[in-house]
Amino acid sequence: MQTLANWDGGPGPWILFLPLIWALVVIGAVTFLRRTVRRDRGGPWRGPGGGRPAGDSPLAVLGRRFASGEIDEDEYWRRLSVLEEQFGRIGKGGAA
């Protein structure tokens, strides 16, 4: 009688399935762990806090636009006051 494990005196082609299954398990585990660790750190493009990069806060964007000349001084102060009303004082000694 011929079984799956015995093919004319040898293991036959079915012996290749065991290493293939183990390779798939290892690759799956490594992929799962890498994605889990990366999600906890916020990914390689984000800081440890996740979310926006530090330079993209609303105040930083406003300051960059004012510095590049996209908005004038009156517009800067008006928008700054709106941001302070919505979010409160961002930091001590900020733009006052």
Side-chain angles (χ1 to χ4, degrees), residues 31-74:
T31 302
F32 174 75
L33 289 175
R34 287 187 71 193
R35 288 185 179 198
T36 303
V37 169
R38 184 169 291 155
R39 189 176 300 133
D40 290 343
R41 284 192 321 223
W45 54 90
R46 294 182 185 165
R52 264 187 267 212
D56 280 327
S57 70
L59 286 178
V61 172
L62 183 63
R64 230 182 355 255
R65 290 186 65 199
F66 177 62
S68 68
E70 289 181 42
I71 58 175
D72 61 355
E73 187 176 358
D74 294 331

Side-chain angles (χ1 to χ4, degrees), residues 14-25:
W14 302 103
I15 193 94
L16 298 176
F17 282 115
L18 188 62
L20 182 64
I21 290 171
W22 276 112
L24 290 174
V25 167

